[in-house]
Amino acid sequence: MDTLHTNSMSLREPALKSAQEPSSNKQAAGSVTKRLGNELMGLMMSSSPGISAFPKSDANLFDWVGTIEGVAGTVYEDLKYKISIHFPSNYPFVAPVIRFETPCYHPNVDLHGNICLDILKDKWSAVYSVTTILLSLQSLLGEPNNDSPLNTEAADLWSNQEEFKEQVLRHYQPIAADD
Amino acid sequence: MDLASALAATGADDVSDPSDFPESFGVLRTLDRTLRCPICKDLFNAPVLLATCGHSFCSLCIREALKEGEKKECSACRVPTQESSIKKNIGLEESVEAYKVARAIVLSFANDVVSRKRRREETVNGMDETPRPKRVKRESSDQVMQILDLDDERTEESEDSEVEMVENSKALVHCPICTRKVPANRINAHIDEACPEEQLPGDKGKGKAQWAMLLGGPGGKKSAKGGRKGSGKERDRSSSPPPRPLAKVSYHTLSNKQVKGLLLDQGLPEAGDRKQWEQRHAQWITMYNANLDSSKPKAVELLRRDLDRWERLRVRDEKEKEARVSRVDSKGYEKSQDDHFAKLIAQARASAKGNPNVIKQGATSDKPIEISSDVEMEPETTARGGAQLIPPES
């Protein structure tokens, strides 16, 4: 599975310049890392408002940290949530593991940050990407699925938006500056 | 850490993306996107079509998706499908192969237009322009013109400039099949001729050898093929018939010895346990069959190396998963939450003393209800639930 996808030629300009250098590490890059590289580039280039993600360290492309900003007009407006993303080796055929690192009071998020979202479970498809996940999570914040709650209290409270917002702010912790 | 170093660190620094094209060339971005597999986001490699819905993917991508996914459905539209609906998409493959070569040229062309425009704007704005970068840029655009010229008229003169161009710009690309370096303008012919040894740029007599390959190569192949009867497929020059796809195996009906035999038949290693054998063989079938969907299949040895790499990544992942599980083990959690538990226990004891009915009446008494509502609000249920149970026992 590994190098079948690394086949596309390095025809981009930077690659042309370095074409005469030994390229052993390029050979070592598997299709997973290649796809993650592709996604990273797509994320950086397309400026989707309110979402971002980047690998935790340059030693490991399989663990990312992302941020999601609440959409204006929802109780999560102006709040910024940190999430962790772990990619399995058979990604994208299996969904990544995603958790809220910032405590998030939400009907579909439990207090450990686990998320109940169909596209991360049985509705996952290999064509989805980090970008689609982050966008889905962003819209999940404002439009919870109260029929299958992980946090039942939050689901019950949802109808009372003022009180709900109070709870959201009570649980919220701003992302530390060094993150 | 910036984007480039992140990509370089993982060896994935040769990724390409529609956004490589300048923003002002939106149509090129769209074109680039349509020639990419929606699963791997890379340019199509051995593209196939799902006869059930018409969506295209790399052969290996959709085969893996059907294998790993819970349901057999198109990854793009969820229409139910099965592996027998996978059909080669030869037209798309040809388009992509041609596009791979054209992409480099079009890209440098587009970038050049943008940088020229920017320079012009800078001059208009009265910014002092140093002549040096200008010359560099002009050179690069000349190279593009050279590349374009070369495709049209292959004269003796342009051959000289071709050598020059290649040396100047180092316009070498990696062949997707043999991974050797090949001049960008040779790549199509190189692939068509089943990856012959390429003369490195600057070698004397390179032009001649190239011409010999261009002119003599296909002819020689044709005559060799004429000897064999019937086989219209353009695979390699070996005399064996075109390989057939491998059939799936239901391993649970087989003995250990038989599974081992399957591995031996395919020349695969027999290390590991029975589970690993089955996974290895199943993955081999997927990779092998996907490879057959390419009009220029990889050598089986290369494919075995890919399988080995796949397996090593799998093993690493399993190990990590184990480490993850042990990291969130209950003992560690218990320890880290020790004083929290202690506090809860103390609280519960105090309340139990104050209200001896707790033990008998359980949930109906006031205090436990208070606690349980607290639990509902912060559903760390297992830990707290455990702590609550202590007072009735003590």
Side-chain angles (χ1 to χ4, degrees):
Chain A
M1 146 169 167
D2 259 343
T3 50
L4 275 181
H5 297 295
T6 61
N7 280 348
S8 110
M9 284 171 288
S10 24
L11 283 181
R12 287 192 312 121
E13 245 193 339
L16 285 179
K17 280 174 203 146
S18 64
Q20 296 221 299
E21 289 156 23
S23 58
S24 53
N25 64 338
K26 273 176 204 167
Q27 308 272 320
S31 67
V32 192
T33 42
K34 179 103 197 219
R35 147 110 191 206
L36 290 174
N38 257 322
E39 288 203 30
L40 187 54
M41 201 134 100
L43 252 175
M44 305 298 279
M45 297 304 169
S46 76
S47 46
S48 305
I51 59 164
S52 71
F54 210 75
K56 246 185 218 166
S57 75
D58 51 9
N60 181 4
L61 202 58
F62 288 81
D63 279 298
W64 290 24
V65 180
T67 57
I68 300 172
E69 277 169 47
V71 181
T74 68
V75 287
Y76 298 95
E77 183 171 356
D78 293 336
L79 301 185
K80 206 169 174 185
Y81 288 90
K82 186 174 152 189
I83 59 161
S84 67
I85 309 168
H86 172 74
F87 299 96
S89 69
N90 46 357
Y91 179 80
F93 307 107
V94 170
V97 181
I98 307 223
R99 280 168 53 139
F100 273 92
E101 294 293 315
T102 309
C104 178
Y105 186 80
H106 186 277
N108 305 113
V109 180
D110 75 8
L111 270 247
H112 302 283
N114 299 312
I115 303 161
C116 178
L117 181 60
D118 56 355
I119 65 154
L120 293 177
K121 304 276 169 358
D122 54 321
K123 289 284 182 212
W124 171 253
S125 160
V127 302
Y128 293 153
S129 65
V130 178
T131 316
T132 42
I133 293 170
L134 292 181
L135 287 174
S136 302
L137 286 178
Q138 199 181 31
S139 72
L140 181 75
L141 281 182
E143 296 156 34
N145 176 7
N146 285 320
D147 293 335
S148 63
L150 272 182
N151 183 345
T152 44
E153 195 215 68
D156 292 340
L157 198 62
W158 178 255
S159 51
N160 186 344
Q161 287 280 293
E162 256 171 53
E163 243 176 78
F164 192 93
K165 174 139 198 183
E166 254 172 53
Q167 288 294 331
V168 167
L169 293 175
R170 227 172 56 114
H171 285 81
Y172 181 73
Q173 286 163 14
I175 300 174
D178 57 336
D179 279 338
Chain B
M1 182 179 54
D2 63 335
L3 176 65
S5 76
L7 293 175
T10 50
D13 53 342
D14 60 338
V15 293
S16 64
D17 190 80
S19 59
D20 294 342
F21 290 100
E23 220 167 351
S24 47
F25 286 82
V27 280
L28 292 180
R29 287 188 174 190
T30 311
L31 174 66
D32 194 84
R33 206 171 293 121
T34 58
L35 291 172
R36 286 173 185 277
C37 168
I39 293 181
C40 67
K41 320 285 183 204
D42 208 348
L43 293 171
F44 281 112
N45 177 32
V48 292
L49 187 77
L50 287 179
T52 37
C53 62
H55 282 112
S56 289
F57 305 92
C58 299
S59 182
L60 187 61
C61 289
I62 190 61
R63 283 173 195 275
E64 295 250 16
L66 291 178
K67 190 169 95 161
E68 301 276 348
E70 283 167 32
K71 286 178 213 141
K72 301 239 179 228
E73 57 185 22
C74 169
S75 292
C77 66
R78 296 197 191 281
V79 164
T81 189
Q82 58 281 316
E83 266 162 61
S84 58
S85 300
I86 295 176
K87 307 288 173 209
K88 270 194 209 185
N89 195 340
I90 295 170
L92 184 56
E93 183 171 30
E94 285 169 354
S95 303
V96 171
E97 289 309 318
Y99 175 69
K100 279 179 184 171
V101 182
R103 191 179 193 271
I105 300 164
V106 175
L107 187 58
S108 63
F109 211 46
N111 282 333
D112 206 56
V113 168
V114 168
S115 61
R116 267 170 199 236
K117 202 176 160 196
R118 196 176 301 138
R119 263 203 322 276
R120 215 175 301 137
E121 280 165 8
E122 278 170 7
T123 343
V124 168
N125 292 342
M127 282 178 76
D128 203 34
E129 197 191 356
T130 50
R132 222 195 131 137
K134 194 174 175 183
R135 201 177 300 139
V136 170
K137 290 289 175 197
R138 209 177 262 158
E139 261 168 33
S140 77
S141 90
D142 288 348
Q143 283 162 12
V144 171
M145 295 315 290
Q146 277 177 10
I147 295 173
L148 293 174
D149 283 349
L150 277 170
D151 275 357
D152 291 339
E153 26 164 336
R154 290 186 168 267
T155 61
E156 286 295 315
E157 277 168 67
S158 73
E159 215 180 290
D160 284 347
S161 62
E162 177 191 340
V163 173
E164 224 176 272
M165 186 272 298
V166 166
E167 275 171 349
N168 286 347
S169 68
K170 299 177 181 176
L172 292 178
V173 295
H174 289 272
C175 167
I177 293 157
C178 67
T179 69
R180 274 190 295 243
K181 284 172 197 153
V182 178
N185 54 347
R186 267 280 305 153
I187 187 72
N188 253 353
H190 172 82
I191 292 169
D192 288 344
E193 288 157 27
C195 306
E197 282 281 349
E198 288 291 333
Q199 298 276 329
L200 282 175
D203 278 2
K204 300 271 177 194
K206 161 190 170 271
K208 257 184 205 160
Q210 259 191 13
W211 279 105
M213 258 182 277
L214 270 175
L215 300 172
K221 215 199 254 171
K222 242 173 231 163
S223 65
K225 235 196 319 179
R228 278 190 282 137
K229 268 185 261 170
S231 144
K233 296 254 176 179
E234 268 205 53
R235 295 200 191 276
D236 42 10
R237 273 167 247 189
S238 65
S239 56
S240 57
R244 309 248 317 249
L246 298 173
K248 276 188 168 181
V249 180
S250 44
Y251 301 100
H252 62 275
T253 61
L254 301 177
S255 68
N256 283 356
K257 207 178 163 191
Q258 280 170 313
V259 177
K260 259 194 175 179
L262 287 175
L263 291 172
L264 282 177
D265 286 347
Q266 297 298 324
L268 303 176
E270 36 183 336
D273 54 21
R274 162 102 188 200
K275 199 180 144 205
Q276 281 169 298
W277 297 343
E278 291 179 7
Q279 281 179 349
R280 188 181 302 141
H281 191 258
Q283 181 67 17
W284 173 252
I285 290 179
T286 307
M287 291 170 66
Y288 186 90
N289 291 348
N291 190 41
L292 292 187
D293 285 328
S294 168
S295 56
K296 290 129 200 156
K298 275 189 191 182
V300 176
E301 291 75 48
L302 284 176
L303 215 53
R304 288 207 185 96
R305 221 176 299 155
D306 290 347
L307 180 71
D308 180 51
R309 211 169 291 144
W310 170 87
E311 193 159 351
R312 264 182 288 156
L313 196 63
R314 253 293 149 91
V315 168
R316 200 188 74 182
D317 198 47
E318 301 267 298
K319 271 188 198 149
E320 259 179 33
K321 221 178 266 168
E322 272 167 35
R324 229 165 249 275
V325 169
S326 63
R327 227 179 292 145
V328 293
D329 68 351
S330 51
K331 281 210 174 131
Y333 184 77
E334 240 172 82
K335 236 181 198 169
S336 67
Q337 301 288 315
D338 234 6
D339 39 335
H340 189 60
F341 291 157
K343 233 183 266 168
L344 281 171
I345 293 168
Q347 246 176 35
R349 279 199 179 130
S351 64
K353 258 180 212 161
N355 184 2
N357 291 342
V358 168
I359 301 161
K360 283 170 195 168
Q361 295 183 344
T364 53
S365 92
D366 291 350
K367 297 278 175 182
I369 286 173
E370 209 175 277
I371 295 168
S372 71
S373 77
D374 179 48
V375 168
E376 224 174 73
M377 198 168 70
E378 297 182 72
E380 291 179 7
T381 38
T382 48
R384 292 187 177 200
Q388 272 168 52
L389 289 176
I390 289 165
E393 284 162 14
S394 60

